[in-house]
Amino acid sequence: MTDTSTVNGGRLLVDCLIAQGADRIFTVPGESFLAVLDALHDSPEVQTVICRQEGGAAFMACADGAMTGRPGVCFVTRGPGATNASIGVHVAMQDSQAMLLFIGDVDRGMKDREGFQEVDFGQMFAPLAKLVLRIDDPQRIPEYVARAWNVAQAGRPGPVVIALPEDMLLEAVSAAAPRPAVHRPAQPVCADALGVLMRMIADAASPVAIVGGAGWHAKARTHFTSFAERIGLPVAGAFRRQDAISNASPVWAGNLGYGPGPKLVQRIKDADLVIAVGARLGEATTDSYTLITPEHPGQILVHIHPDPNELGRVYRPDLAICADMAEFAESADYWDDDVVPFDAGEEAHNEWLDWTTAAPAPYALDMAACVTAMRETWPDDAIICNGAGNFSGWWHRYWRYNGFPTQLAPTAGAMGYGVPAAVAAALRHPERQVVALAGDGDFLMNGQELATAVQYGCDLTVVLIDNGTYGTIRMHQEREFPGRVVGTSLHNPDFAALAVAYGGWATRVETTEQFIAALAEAKDRTGLRLIHALIDPEQLSAGGATISGLRAKAKG
């Protein structure tokens, strides 16, 4: 960190980020924040990761924040840079992940003239971010950076967008120093409320917990697992929160979202007490607000969340507890109660084991068998990263997320997230196996970030599932308009050759046996590895949907 007696705004900004604990930023460079880039040249404390598209950079920052629990940091330029990066802001908001997006902006004297690439970021990002700021006075950079860092991680974590006028970053600043690091505010649980919850559990006949979401981290995971196992409480993961507790836990009941186990769905419907911990109970988790309705007649709902604005926003809670996830979980774990243990946790776990045991399928490359083989040979702490598409459903159903963090997947359902997230994961955890899952349509949204992976020596494996179609949309198309295929067919490149062109190792597979052999070889290699798996488009989803089956059902 440099002496801040007289520096420019760019130097001060970087020093403030270092003071808050930033050790890596993701960026596509722009002329609008050259002063920041120049300061990074003399800042060995921060790794500057140069990306190939702003959407990929923003996804990397979002994923990095998910792993560290502190804001991931991204810098982009105005106009096209900001609009490209907006997808990462949207994901960070819906996923409740702390993130800072800094945008180089037009000079202060040019504002509101629709200058070159000018955008009103306050209006553009207001519905996407927790907060949108603009720093016009370089003397206030320490104040704004500390505020942004705090807002991004407090309560329900999320993205903060900060506009940086180009001339402000070049202006000299004196007698300004970074503020001390700010930390997520402590939010202890109310003892009286916890006592009420324990009495509710003691009175319940069929309770169930739904966990994972805002502020969830390793400490919350450890303590809540201990608590749930002690009383035999079935624990389901909210959508794409499957690593919230180890899936090896004897009370893990499976995941909600798209394609959950039918017995888990029935268990949620039959529950007399639903305990939501960290989860927002969003549309995907609740099957469009029908699995648990906002009024939930016949059920008692306890909602524990770190943000008071989320409690009561959609659902009517019978007991609302505003607390940090780790504080709540630790207090529950150490509560000296008289709750008689349930046998439901073990029962739910056995049902999940049955649901995740694959039956043979009549395909040359059977995805369920492939995932089963992968989970039996790859380490528990492998980090699985995916974007959006039916391909992810096989891992959601058959993979076992036992380590933490091991699932980087957007609850916002954004395509193109997997490869950038895997780059961020490989940089953050070089000691672990990292896997990017992608469909053929999903991959080409951000496949260019393979160049970033190679540039920074990342060890990661890409499993690319190619069925020549936008599979999820094709499935819905066949349900609604069977046989009338339009807009979903894809002509793809040779993905294996593409990966080799980037500097990686790649192979093409068309059978289950070839896939398993390729997994073994990829696991023993380093650097970029890509497995291009061609599957029959008839094999539409992990739930068993097929094109022929959907068409037959439509005919009656």
Side-chain angles (χ1 to χ4, degrees), residues 253-333:
N255 60 294
L256 296 173
Y258 302 114
K263 289 187 177 180
L264 173 58
V265 170
Q266 193 60 48
R267 183 174 295 278
I268 300 293
K269 291 179 177 178
D270 293 342
D272 57 353
L273 173 63
V274 176
I275 306 167
V277 188
R280 294 179 51 243
L281 298 179
E283 178 185 352
T285 297
T286 63
D287 191 14
S288 299
Y289 307 101
T290 61
L291 181 58
I292 304 168
T293 67
E295 297 299 328
H296 51 87
Q299 288 182 322
I300 294 173
L301 174 64
V302 178
H303 201 174
I304 301 104
H305 199 275
D307 195 329
N309 293 320
E310 197 62 42
L311 296 167
R313 177 184 175 193
V314 176
Y315 281 83
R316 176 191 60 78
D318 296 286
L319 175 63
I321 298 177
C322 185
D324 176 82
M325 293 300 93
E327 294 283 339
F328 166 78
E330 184 175 21
S331 297
D333 187 16

Side-chain angles (χ1 to χ4, degrees), residues 60-424:
M60 289 182 202
C62 181
D64 198 52
M67 289 181 285
T68 65
R70 60 179 186 266
V73 182
C74 181
F75 276 83
V76 300
T77 196
R78 56 187 178 255
T83 52
N84 282 342
S86 64
I87 188 171
V89 175
H90 182 246
V91 167
M93 190 67 202
Q94 292 222 326
D95 282 37
S96 302
Q97 304 294 2
M99 173 189 173
L100 301 184
L101 176 67
F102 290 93
I103 304 171
D105 200 4
V106 297
D107 286 1
R108 289 167 290 185
M110 299 180 188
K111 190 174 185 300
D112 297 331
R113 289 178 173 174
E114 196 182 345
F116 180 62
Q117 299 183 338
E118 183 179 3
V119 173
D120 186 329
F121 297 119
Q123 291 193 53
M124 174 183 170
F125 285 103
L128 298 180
K130 282 187 76 174
L131 180 66
V132 183
L133 301 169
R134 177 183 170 89
I135 308 178
D136 285 316
D137 181 355
Q139 288 286 149
R140 297 183 64 184
I141 287 174
E143 171 194 341
Y144 276 105
V145 171
R147 180 184 177 189
W149 197 272
N150 179 63
V151 170
Q153 62 185 349
R156 176 187 172 188
V160 175
V161 176
I162 308 98
L164 306 168
E166 182 178 358
D167 60 324
M168 183 277 296
L169 293 173
L170 294 167
E171 187 173 317
V173 187
S174 61
R179 286 191 177 183
V182 296
H183 302 282
R184 183 179 172 89
Q187 296 172 276
V189 63
C190 170
D192 290 342
L194 192 60
V196 172
L197 170 59
M198 294 303 172
R199 289 193 292 274
M200 287 178 167
I201 294 174
D203 291 340
S206 52
V208 65
I210 301 172
V211 303
W216 196 268
H217 52 77
K219 183 178 178 182
R221 183 183 204 254
T222 298
H223 285 293
F224 194 84
T225 300
S226 175
F227 165 68
E229 290 180 354
R230 176 161 55 89
I231 67 172
L233 176 67
V235 180
F239 177 52
R240 291 184 166 172
R241 309 292 193 182
Q242 290 172 248
D243 61 352
I245 75 168
S246 171
N247 296 178
S249 169
V251 295
W252 173 250
N255 60 294
L256 296 173
Y258 302 114
K263 289 187 177 180
L264 173 58
V265 170
Q266 193 60 48
R267 183 174 295 278
I268 300 293
K269 291 179 177 178
D270 293 342
D272 57 353
L273 173 63
V274 176
I275 306 167
V277 188
R280 294 179 51 243
L281 298 179
E283 178 185 352
T285 297
T286 63
D287 191 14
S288 299
Y289 307 101
T290 61
L291 181 58
I292 304 168
T293 67
E295 297 299 328
H296 51 87
Q299 288 182 322
I300 294 173
L301 174 64
V302 178
H303 201 174
I304 301 104
H305 199 275
D307 195 329
N309 293 320
E310 197 62 42
L311 296 167
R313 177 184 175 193
V314 176
Y315 281 83
R316 176 191 60 78
D318 296 286
L319 175 63
I321 298 177
C322 185
D324 176 82
M325 293 300 93
E327 294 283 339
F328 166 78
E330 184 175 21
S331 297
D333 187 16
Y334 294 150
W335 185 269
D336 185 15
D337 59 71
D338 297 321
V339 175
V340 177
F342 299 90
D343 58 11
E346 181 181 1
E347 180 183 73
H349 186 64
N350 288 331
E351 291 171 352
W352 173 76
L353 288 173
D354 289 341
W355 173 245
T356 58
T357 300
Y363 303 109
L365 198 158
D366 176 4
M367 285 307 306
C370 290
V371 179
T372 300
M374 183 175 174
R375 83 181 185 207
E376 291 172 351
T377 56
W378 283 53
D380 272 357
D381 67 351
I383 303 175
I384 307 297
C385 313
N386 64 263
N390 275 2
F391 67 89
S392 63
W394 280 284
W395 274 265
H396 291 354
R397 179 170 176 178
Y398 295 112
W399 186 259
R400 294 178 181 173
Y401 295 86
N402 292 330
F404 186 84
T406 52
Q407 186 179 42
L408 292 176
T411 65
M415 296 178 72
Y417 180 90
V419 170
V423 173

Side-chain angles (χ1 to χ4, degrees), residues 437-492:
L437 308 175
D440 45 341
D442 176 85
F443 176 81
L444 284 178
M445 297 282 183
N446 271 315
Q448 77 284 339
E449 299 305 339
L450 292 186
T452 307
V454 172
Q455 181 172 345
Y456 292 94
C458 295
D459 283 330
L460 64 89
T461 300
V462 180
V463 178
L464 199 160
I465 311 303
D466 180 357
N467 62 0
T469 185
Y470 283 121
T472 304
I473 310 308
R474 175 71 180 275
M475 180 177 69
H476 292 300
Q477 190 175 56
E478 294 287 357
R479 283 174 175 163
E480 299 297 327
F481 304 99
R484 296 175 60 81
V485 180
V486 61
T488 52
S489 298
L490 299 173
H491 175 74
N492 290 319

